[in-house]
């Protein structure tokens, strides 16, 4: 389980995370929602061991994230792969780097998402690039999958395909998937557990269907309300 | 398919299946989508689909046979009860609405009579 205890992170004087206490439920698809600048990326990066907290701590199955590298697959929002690489080259790189690389899974998802592996990152559309990044991340049999804005800047068809690829993959593994996004609509029905961050604080937390039942509102409406209340 | 975003998804999945049973779209013995295919097709969390299917099994509407799939097992008696319940609910909300609007029983009955034929084949 990934657990945050009194986690804080400041960038200069700006707090990105403010005394966050949180345990991410196992085996679920979790939506990490919130407006831009709410601290979603920082939270994910801290869980992935890519950001050092200013205070408090985060543990993955009882140890520091850096010691749990093999259990964590992280998809960054930015493009980190060289643009002259083909998808195939990137896959080979991943395979060499991560022992949990599952080539069958990679091939299946490539086929499912209609991607050719001789495509170069420099030449492909944003949608294709987003899909390729996702395939590379999901092809690892990591226990925890952390996705930072996987829908960022891509068209609605590619979004749908990505959502379906996520469901597909999830059904096949015993994974915990965290999706950080400000585009809630696309995956509203896909996430089972909701975390809403605003100004580095958690303002809404819980089971998605339970929240709908309690409030009689959509997740988006509940978020908006929490946002208006300004995290009180 | 678009779900109503303000209500639990698993309940809506059950309602959709119930409706299909009531309209005869699905009959006893029919095989329904596997949980996984349902989740993929409608982009719903697999655990949510599992919850809906589990409740339908508990209600005796479907049965899952290992390695073969999930099948409709609804009985005529269950269907009658479901039909009664659905009609009851529709009637309640209709009466409530008409009362709120201030219609008398006589006026409502006339209206129903006038519109019955028109709607008969509708929807």
């Amino acid at each position: 389980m990934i657990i945050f205890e009194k986690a804080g992170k400041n960038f200069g004087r700006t707090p990105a995370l403010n005394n966050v206490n949180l345990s991410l439920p196992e085996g679920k698809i979790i939506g990490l929602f919130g407006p831009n600048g709410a601290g979603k990326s920082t939270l994910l990066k801290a869980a992935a061991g890519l950001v050092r907290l200013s205070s408090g701590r985060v543990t993955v199955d009882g140890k520091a994230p850096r010691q749990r590298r093999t259990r964590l697959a992280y998809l960054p929002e930015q493009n980190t792969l060289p643009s002259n690489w083909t998808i195939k080259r990137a896959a080979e790189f991943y395979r060499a780097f991560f022992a949990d690389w599952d080539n069958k899974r990679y091939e299946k998802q490539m086929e499912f998402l209609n991607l050719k592996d001789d495509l170069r990152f420099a030449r492909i559309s944003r949608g294709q690039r987003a899909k390729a990044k996702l395939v590379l991340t999901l092809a690892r049999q990591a226990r925890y999958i952390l996705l930072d804005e996987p829908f960022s800047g891509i068209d609605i068809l590619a979004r749908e395909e990505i959502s379906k690829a996520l469901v597909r993959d999830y059904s096949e593994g015993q994974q915990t998937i965290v999706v950080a996004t400000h585009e809630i609509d696309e995956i509203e029905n896909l996430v089972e557990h909701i975390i809403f961050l605003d100004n580095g604080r958690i303002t809404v937390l819980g089971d998605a269907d339970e929240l709908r039942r309690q409030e009689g509102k959509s997740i988006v409406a509940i978020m908006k309300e929490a946002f208006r209340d300004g995290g009180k | 398919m678009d779900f109503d975003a303000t209500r639990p998804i698993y309940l809506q999945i059950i309602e959709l299946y119930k409706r299909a049973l009531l309209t005869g779209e699905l009959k006893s013995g029919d095989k329904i989508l596997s949980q996984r295919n349902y989740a993929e097709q409608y982009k719903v969390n697999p655990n949510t689909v599992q919850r809906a299917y589990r409740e339908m099994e508990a209600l005796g509407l479907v049965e899952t046979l290992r390695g073969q799939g999930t099948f409709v097992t609804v009985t005529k008696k269950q269907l009658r009860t479901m039909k009664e319940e659905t009609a009851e609910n529709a009637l309640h909300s209709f009466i409530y609405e008409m009362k709120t609007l201030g219609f008398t029983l006589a006026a409502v009955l006339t209206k129903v009579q006038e519109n019955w034929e028109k709607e008969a084949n509708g929807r």
Side-chain angles (χ1 to χ4, degrees), chain A residues 27 29 112 160 163-164 167-168 170-172 186 188-192 209 212-213 216-219, chain B residues 1-12 36 38-48 51:
Chain A
I29 303 181
F112 180 68
E160 270 205 42
S163 299
K164 285 187 180 171
V167 176
R168 227 182 131 75
Y170 178 72
S171 313
E172 288 190 352
E186 185 54 44
E188 173 152 15
N189 298 338
L190 244 182
V191 298
E192 198 182 352
D209 264 355
R212 289 186 191 103
R213 197 184 61 75
K217 291 190 196 108
S218 71
I219 298 300
Chain B
M1 174 178 350
D2 282 328
F3 289 98
D4 174 359
T6 64
R7 295 189 306 123
I9 310 289
Y10 81 95
L11 286 179
Q12 297 182 59
R36 190 184 142 172
Y38 193 103
E40 254 178 58
Q41 193 162 331
Y42 299 113
K43 292 186 290 162
V44 176
N45 188 295
N47 293 336
T48 308
R51 185 170 176 190

Side-chain angles (χ1 to χ4, degrees), chain B residues 30-95:
Chain B
D30 284 353
K31 189 175 178 179
I32 62 171
L33 281 178
S34 74
Q35 296 181 19
R36 190 184 142 172
N37 284 341
Y38 193 103
E40 254 178 58
Q41 193 162 331
Y42 299 113
K43 292 186 290 162
V44 176
N45 188 295
N47 293 336
T48 308
V49 180
Q50 189 186 42
R51 185 170 176 190
Y53 275 45
R54 221 189 277 138
E55 293 222 1
M56 291 196 295
E57 277 169 19
L59 291 169
L61 303 178
V62 299
E63 199 176 305
T64 300
L65 301 176
R66 230 163 212 280
Q68 295 184 56
T70 304
F71 298 87
V72 176
T73 54
V74 72
T75 62
K76 289 215 170 91
K77 193 174 163 221
Q78 278 176 313
L79 274 181
R80 263 200 307 277
T81 317
M82 268 162 56
K83 206 171 239 178
E84 283 299 322
E85 274 173 15
T86 311
E88 197 98 333
N89 287 339
L91 200 57
H92 271 306
S93 51
F94 172 71
I95 293 174

Side-chain angles (χ1 to χ4, degrees), chain A residues 43-78:
Chain A
L43 193 81
L44 274 197
K45 279 183 187 157
L50 300 169
V51 143
R52 193 181 283 276
L53 292 172
S54 312
S55 57
R57 65 177 195 150
V58 53
T59 52
V60 178
D61 297 334
K63 288 192 174 177
R66 280 169 180 279
Q67 290 168 271
R68 294 291 194 204
R69 277 264 162 82
T70 54
R71 298 191 188 180
L72 294 158
Y74 168 74
L75 179 143
E77 190 181 3
Q78 291 80 18

Side-chain angles (χ1 to χ4, degrees), chain A residues 90-104:
Chain A
E92 279 161 5
F93 173 77
Y94 267 65
R95 194 186 320 178
F97 209 78
F98 297 108
D100 57 0
W101 178 266
D102 181 343
N103 213 51
K104 267 210 186 98

